[in-house]
Amino acid sequence: MPVNPELTDRAFAPTAPYLVGREKVREFSRAVFATAPMHHDPEAARAAGFSDVVAPPTFPIVIAEATLQQLLAEPDAGIDFSRVVHGDQRFSYTRPIVAGDELTATLRVTSIKSLGGNSMVTSESAMTDASGEHVVTSVSTLVIRGDDS
Amino acid sequence: MSLLDGLAVGQVVAERSFPLTRDSLVRYAGASGDFNPIHYRDDVAAAVGLPGVLAHGMLTMGFAVQPVVDWLDARGWVSDYQVRFTRPVVVDPQLGAVVTVVATVAAVDETGARIDLTATVGEQTVLGKAQVRVTPLAG
């Protein structure tokens, strides 16, 4: 089944708010070899001008995961997850994420292309804080391998 | 001294090697919530035609920027970061894998700088178009 081209017109509901916890930031930081003190020590983060520990640059992928599940759960999406490969990824920030942030992500499928039997689905998850201000947008391209590849 | 003072295009600002083991992949799976078994089960990786258990692309993206973060040392922050996943990183159950990252200044302007990353395993690059925008922190 090919990827449904009408996904780009679809409106997705915002995800439930994700509360960024200090220990989650520390755990994720350890997993990506992020050893800078501001990721672990609230005092070091405050000295750098932040209210609490700062999440590493790729942390939003934890929150984007919820929007990916929304996309895969669309019954007519035509996306076979066992054939999905992550093609590229980008994070564009307005400000860093800190522990205590409550982030809501809204998914939008921005493009669907076919290339050599594969489909490339680009989507973005725009994340806003509790006051509705933009924090970061995660843009992912998934490559769905065709049946013959 | 400001982050951008004296920064020159072509200057290598950081370089670091990351030894990965299967433990690294399990730790990242737990921290990120990505439990795709191709990142920890040899039988599943083989069944879908992969050369072995692979590191999560997002793990590689995650640590590849850390030399830049350490170099910034709270003088600035990463305001934009993008990569292409061009080649999978196979992590041997006994030998693991070593990914080497080199961070080079690609452009400097009044509000920040672009740092380009190369990430290699042996002679082969594993990330493409790996670009980091760094923005100075006020104060």
Side-chain angles (χ1 to χ4, degrees):
Chain A
M1 182 166 66
V3 176
N4 184 349
E6 292 171 8
L7 285 174
T8 50
D9 301 326
R10 201 157 295 183
F12 292 89
T15 58
Y18 179 99
L19 178 58
V20 179
R22 186 186 288 168
E23 296 304 336
K24 188 67 190 179
V25 169
R26 288 171 169 160
E27 179 192 14
F28 188 87
S29 299
R30 286 191 295 271
V32 294
F33 303 82
T35 53
M38 67 175 175
H39 298 309
H40 300 273
D41 177 6
E43 287 307 319
R46 281 181 203 117
F50 300 103
S51 58
D52 206 319
V53 292
V54 179
T58 60
F59 184 82
I61 203 69
V62 175
I63 303 161
E65 172 71 13
T67 60
L68 175 64
Q69 293 309 322
Q70 277 184 312
L71 183 60
L72 298 176
E74 289 291 292
D76 61 346
I79 297 174
D80 176 357
F81 190 55
S82 70
R83 293 184 166 276
V84 167
V85 177
H86 202 169
D88 60 54
Q89 177 66 42
R90 181 172 193 169
F91 301 101
S92 298
Y93 281 89
T94 299
R95 67 162 175 86
I97 294 173
V98 294
D101 276 336
E102 207 170 275
L103 299 176
T104 300
T106 304
L107 174 70
R108 199 164 68 92
V109 177
T110 52
S111 100
I112 296 174
K113 291 176 191 158
S114 291
L115 194 72
N118 298 331
S119 298
M120 299 171 71
V121 178
T122 303
S123 62
E124 61 175 46
S125 295
M127 302 181 194
T128 54
D129 62 18
S131 57
E133 298 291 326
H134 179 262
V135 176
V136 60
T137 296
S138 165
V139 181
S140 306
T141 300
L142 302 178
V143 181
I144 299 109
R145 290 175 292 144
D147 292 339
D148 300 327
S149 57
Chain B
M1 192 170 101
S2 157
L3 171 65
L4 303 173
D5 288 347
L7 213 53
V9 171
Q11 181 185 347
V12 172
V13 293
E15 185 168 1
R16 186 173 159 194
S17 288
F18 295 89
L20 300 181
T21 63
R22 292 287 175 88
D23 303 37
S24 318
L25 309 194
V26 172
R27 183 184 286 269
Y28 185 77
S32 68
D34 182 346
F35 290 102
N36 187 332
I38 64 165
H39 302 302
Y40 52 88
R41 279 184 53 181
D42 293 275
D43 59 328
V44 173
V48 297
L50 296 172
V53 159
L54 308 181
H56 306 72
M58 286 307 305
L59 169 57
T60 303
M61 184 180 186
F63 65 70
V65 74
Q66 294 311 320
V68 175
V69 173
D70 289 343
W71 163 71
L72 287 171
D73 191 23
R75 295 172 303 159
W77 65 292
V78 172
S79 53
D80 198 289
Y81 178 32
Q82 64 177 313
V83 306
R84 278 191 193 141
F85 302 103
T86 52
R87 188 185 297 272
V89 176
V90 178
V91 180
D92 183 88
Q94 292 180 320
L95 303 175
V98 178
V99 182
T100 300
V101 176
V102 178
T104 307
V105 178
V108 184
D109 59 49
E110 287 174 5
T111 60
R114 194 185 100 204
I115 311 294
D116 286 358
L117 308 177
T118 60
T120 51
V121 175
E123 300 291 302
Q124 297 185 312
T125 63
V126 297
L127 297 178
K129 205 185 175 188
Q131 301 181 350
V132 186
R133 174 79 187 172
V134 297
T135 302
L137 277 171

